[in-house]
Each structure stands twice: as structure tokens, then as C-alpha cells.
Amino acid sequence: MLSFAYAAALRRVAVVAAALLVLPLSLSGPAIGQAPSFPSHPITLIVPFAKGGPTDVVARIVSAEMAKSLGQPVVVDNIVGAGGTIGALKAAQALPDGYTLVLGHMGTHAAAVALYPKLGYRPDVDFAPVALVARMPILLLARREFPAADFREFVLYVRAHQDTINLAHAGVGSVSYTSCMLLNHLLGINPTGVPFNGTGPAMDALVAGQVDYMCDQMVNAVLPLRTEVIKAYVIAGAERDPAVPTVPTAAEAGLPKFQVEAWNGLFAPKDTPAAVVATLNAAAVRALDQPEVREPMTGLGAVVPPPDQRTPEALAGVVGREVQKWRMVLKRQAP
Ligand code: MLT
């Protein structure tokens, strides 16, 4: 009969052995410059838009893979409103310990600076850039029954009916808002904008025919386009995209200045220790090379950045250039 003490010791060994069997990749231990004891508990990743939209989709794909090498869950928290700036501000004000991150983008971490006089944060100062995780083109989308067969007819129709049509977006400062503001400025129209907490719910309204058009990111459009429940007139990129090969570029359709690219960057609050940022960056860089990330992302028309674009410094450069670009673009649009 085993003594009680010996049985208890055996149980402890069994528990430790079982734990070792499920320990993820973090057993390899931190690389030089990374934080040895981080993370010791789950990380929160703020997504500043509603579930099911492009930011949410990219966040969940990348964070699930990051969790494997970090050895802790990365829990997505959708904090919506004000074009994503509420969620971004929450992250900027979080403890700089690496346990609160935000997936920001061209709207929250660039265009919003020119659209909100009191933004509450400076994208190029109040965050510690971690890694650029996705780039993707923007498409001009319309409800399936919209009475225009191509971009030329779309332009004629919206100019003739701008008082009765509407467009969907994810709030002032969002990618969808900023992109269509550029389009509307170039077309000389100013229809009613219908704000949503993200282009996930906005897409539902477009598919239902409740709104007329939207400028949205590729990853949110590919599937409804393939099932033909919506239509696309142009891609706001320099060239056609293999994910939607029949959609002409805005330049081909006669509006070369309609050029917009969306990007997603992972950010921690400023003053997050460099070693913690290095650990998070390593997990993101590794994740971007895994098929569990590359296949769904490229399948939805997103571009996974090459290694030289994944450094914190590279993301800082993107933010700096984009803040300047959108400040100039939106200044030109100001009434
Ligand atoms: C936007 O800026 O339009 C957002 O990215 C939409 C979303 O992610 O839901």
C-alpha cells in the first residue's frame, strides 16, 4: 500500500510531467534581448471594431498563432466606437507591461490625426510599435442591385442622385470612412454616410441592400464578392489583384487618384520595455511565417509583409509617413 506522502509525491510528478507535455514553443526560452519572464499570464489584444470585420479577422488569425510561441492566450477584446479611436485610446492608456495590445491601422494610427482635433493620443508618440502584420487594397463595393453596371455608370448615378443615396463606413477616421471620403472628394459628391461599429455589420447591411455603397478592405469583400451578393466597381490600387481579377483598377476606370492601401499594425503602449516589445515582435514575426496565418490571410487577399517590413522600426516608419500623407490629403478635402 503506498504511503499517503509517496502517493502525493507521485501525483505532483504526474502533474508536472503533464504540464511539460503541453508546454508550447516557449520551452525554447527567450532569445537574447527578449523578456525571460514575459508573458506570465494572458495578453489582451484590443480590436477597435466589431467582430467579423477586417480588423477583427486579421487580429484573430495572427493572435491565435502568436499565442503558441508566447505560451499564453492572446484574448481579443472588441472595443468599438468613434472610428476605432476609442479602442486605440484605451490601449494608449493601458499599463506599458505588454499585456495590453491593439491592432491599429491606417485609420486609427494615421488618418484619425487629421479628423479628430482632440484625438487623445498621438499614433507616432503614444505607442510602442510591435510589428506590421498585413497590407491590403481597398475596393469600391455596392449592393447587388445598385443601378450601375460599371464604374462609369456608378459615377453618373451617384452624381445625379447624391441626395438620395448613402454609403456605409465604420465611423469617422476609419479606413472605410477615409477611403470613401477620398472617393467622394474626387467625384465631387457628398452623400449621406451611415456609420457602423465596423465593416462587419456594415457588410451585412450592404448585402441586405440597406446601404448603397462602401469602400472596404479586401479581406472583408472577397467572400461576398465570390458569392455575388455584392459587387465591386474598382480596386483602389496600382494594379489588379489576383483575389478579384475581374475588378479593374480605379486608374483603368479613369480615376487614377483613387489610390488607397490599408495596413494593420500591432501596437503596445509607449514605454513598454524594449525586451517585452522584442518578445512580442518575435512572436508576430514567427506567426507571419506559419501556414496557419499565411494561407487564410492570402486566401482573403491580404499581403503578409516580408521580413524587412516586420520590425518595430519599420512600423514606426509606416505610421510617420501615413500620418503626414493623410494630414495633407484630408487638408485638401477640408471645406
Ligand atoms: C475600418 O476602418 O473601416 C475598419 O477597419 C472596419 C473593420 O475593421 O471593421
Side-chain angles (χ1 to χ4, degrees):
M1 175 70 172
L2 291 179
S3 73
F4 176 76
Y6 184 61
L10 274 183
R11 272 198 304 276
R12 276 195 298 276
V13 168
V15 167
V16 170
L20 283 174
L21 286 177
V22 298
L23 263 185
L25 300 165
S26 60
L27 254 188
S28 55
I32 294 172
Q34 294 181 12
S37 59
F38 173 85
S40 59
H41 58 79
I43 292 168
T44 296
L45 173 57
I46 294 174
V47 168
F49 298 97
K51 284 186 175 63
T55 309
D56 186 66
V57 165
V58 170
R60 292 177 191 273
I61 292 171
V62 175
S63 61
E65 191 61 34
M66 287 179 67
K68 294 177 186 173
S69 58
L70 290 169
Q72 289 290 342
V74 178
V75 181
V76 170
D77 185 4
N78 299 82
I79 299 178
V80 302
T85 59
I86 290 175
L89 179 61
K90 183 96 174 165
Q93 296 172 337
L95 276 178
D97 57 8
Y99 288 100
T100 304
L101 308 175
V102 61
L103 190 64
H105 66 14
M106 171 271 262
T108 60
H109 282 70
V113 172
L115 291 164
Y116 286 92
K118 294 181 180 173
L119 187 56
Y121 62 86
R122 295 154 297 175
D124 51 346
V125 174
D126 294 320
F127 293 90
V130 173
L132 182 73
V133 297
R135 288 181 179 276
M136 68 190 83
I138 300 288
L139 294 164
L140 168 58
L141 307 169
R143 60 185 173 81
R144 184 172 52 187
E145 309 306 326
F146 192 81
D150 57 25
F151 185 63
R152 187 186 64 80
E153 289 185 15
F154 170 84
V155 174
L156 292 173
Y157 189 89
V158 295
R159 281 175 171 159
H161 300 85
Q162 63 172 306
D163 296 337
T164 56
I165 58 168
N166 60 28
L167 71 99
H169 58 74
V172 174
S174 63
V175 165
S176 44
Y177 173 89
T178 306
S179 305
C180 257
M181 287 308 107
L182 174 61
L183 174 71
N184 294 346
H185 173 72
L186 294 171
L187 297 181
I189 60 173
N190 187 26
T192 302
V194 181
F196 292 80
N197 279 332
T199 51
M203 182 61 77
D204 294 341
L206 191 70
V207 169
Q210 294 162 350
V211 290
D212 290 309
Y213 70 99
M214 175 161 75
C215 299
D216 200 8
Q217 299 167 66
M218 179 69 86
V219 300
N220 202 36
V222 165
L223 298 182
L225 283 173
R226 282 184 189 150
T227 51
E228 298 183 358
V229 292
I230 60 169
K231 54 190 175 184
Y233 290 120
V234 294
I235 183 169
E239 52 197 37
R240 293 196 180 202
D241 191 289
V244 287
T246 61
V247 179
T249 65
E252 287 177 270
L255 196 66
K257 287 186 177 177
F258 186 42
Q259 292 262 346
V260 191
E261 182 189 56
W263 47 268
N264 287 113
L266 204 52
F267 297 90
K270 71 174 180 181
D271 301 332
T272 299
V276 168
V277 172
T279 300
L280 292 166
N281 174 266
V285 167
R286 177 199 158 274
L288 293 177
D289 284 332
Q290 306 311 308
E292 292 84 346
V293 170
R294 300 186 69 87
E295 285 171 13
M297 294 262 276
T298 52
L300 289 171
V303 174
V304 176
D308 66 315
Q309 293 180 19
R310 300 176 190 175
T311 64
E313 297 73 22
L315 179 55
V318 168
V319 172
R321 289 189 297 275
E322 288 278 287
V323 166
Q324 291 309 322
K325 169 187 167 185
W326 286 103
R327 193 176 267 136
M328 285 171 53
V329 168
L330 295 167
K331 189 175 178 183
R332 280 202 299 270
Q333 292 181 28

